[in-house]
Amino acid sequence: MVLADEEVERILVVTAHPDDVDFGVAGSVGVWTEQGIEVAYCIVTDGDAGGFDPDVPRSEIGKIRRAEQTAAAEMVGVSDLTFLGHPDGALYVTHDLRRDISRVIRRVRPQRVIGQSPDRNYGRIYASHPDHLAAGEATLCAVYPDARNPFAHPSLLDEGYEAWTVREVWLMTAMEGDAHVDITPSIERKVKALLCHESQMTNPDAMDELIRGWAAVNARTAGLPEGHYAESFKVV
């Protein structure tokens, strides 16, 4: 059974890259923070393989993208961000990655974790970047069995992070969503959050129409009235 928002005090969102969180869940985050739920982000890479301007030094991209994600998070009421610094474009489900995500879970102690789907979506191939799939699988591994098992990653206990059991996981970009959040009140903040990622935007003027189009389709699937917008998730 899906937890009611009233049962949730803390939510952790885990994504591979800066801007993944804003494409997938920023509208819902805006709704949740308005309700008083604490939301934290864990960004696995700095996105340093991204960008489109060859005049920007590669060495600067990671710092730029961290700053963009921090500004985007502020748009939807989030100030707790952890950047793990794993390699962009070369992300794999390793013991170290599982441990690092588990550490954040144990620190934040969320009832709900939002992650990326580990399953390739052949209808939306861009959502199935290999880093997304790896981050999604590692997040599920961190939720179960790692974060809840006091004997997994003993170094975390040495650091003072006690075991924590997450009650539910919501997956973004899943092929068959079974939970929907009406983001109509926060759609403008979602768009503004995405526009913070200037280093990734070749056509920012098209972003508003694009996001509203996707969210309108989700709203129709959810059975919401015309003029509403939604984000869709698979609940584990």
Side-chain angles (χ1 to χ4, degrees):
M1 180 180 295
V2 178
L3 292 174
D5 287 347
E6 292 76 15
E7 302 176 82
V8 178
E9 297 177 4
R10 296 173 300 278
I11 294 172
L12 174 64
V13 184
V14 184
T15 64
H17 311 111
D19 82 14
D20 290 347
V21 60
D22 298 305
F23 275 109
V25 70
S28 300
V29 169
V31 170
W32 293 327
T33 56
E34 281 294 311
Q35 294 175 359
I37 299 173
E38 297 178 16
V39 180
Y41 291 170
C42 174
I43 313 299
V44 174
T45 81
D46 289 342
D48 48 289
F52 61 89
D53 187 348
D55 293 330
V56 178
R58 284 287 101 192
S59 60
E60 295 296 313
I61 293 294
K63 181 174 66 176
I64 290 169
R65 298 203 68 186
R66 284 191 182 213
E68 290 173 343
Q69 183 60 82
T70 301
E74 186 177 353
M75 291 290 179
V76 290
V78 175
S79 58
D80 183 346
L81 295 88
T82 301
F83 295 91
L84 297 182
H86 284 260
D88 184 8
L91 195 64
Y92 299 96
V93 184
T94 64
H95 188 267
D96 286 351
L97 177 57
R98 288 168 53 175
R99 179 204 60 217
D100 290 349
I101 297 173
S102 296
R103 179 186 291 108
V104 181
I105 290 173
R106 292 186 183 191
R107 178 182 67 79
V108 175
R109 304 174 79 79
Q111 289 80 32
R112 178 184 295 161
V113 166
I114 315 294
Q116 293 171 294
S117 174
D119 298 322
R120 190 173 294 279
N121 186 335
Y122 293 103
R124 291 180 58 196
I125 195 65
Y126 293 112
S128 298
H129 187 294
D131 285 358
H132 297 179
L133 305 183
E137 179 63 25
T139 299
L140 288 173
C141 292
V143 168
Y144 178 81
D146 296 354
R148 64 192 290 164
N149 180 0
F151 306 110
H153 310 297
S155 63
L156 297 183
L157 281 179
D158 295 339
E159 295 172 23
Y161 297 110
E162 299 288 338
W164 176 259
T165 299
V166 175
R167 294 181 62 185
E168 65 181 17
V169 179
W170 290 24
L171 298 177
M172 297 177 274
T173 64
M175 295 183 72
E176 295 182 5
D178 54 14
H180 307 273
V181 177
D182 186 342
I183 64 168
T184 308
S186 61
I187 187 70
E188 291 187 9
R189 283 188 292 156
K190 176 182 175 75
V191 173
K192 288 179 179 178
L194 280 161
L195 290 174
C196 290
H197 300 279
E198 295 181 11
S199 68
Q200 309 304 300
M201 296 292 167
T202 57
N203 188 9
D205 292 339
M207 187 55 60
D208 187 88
E209 182 178 356
L210 176 68
I211 294 304
R212 289 177 186 270
W214 286 347
V217 171
N218 288 334
R220 288 194 292 272
T221 301
L224 294 173
E226 190 69 25
H228 280 242
Y229 302 101
E231 289 170 341
S232 177
F233 306 89
K234 176 71 177 178
V235 179
V236 178

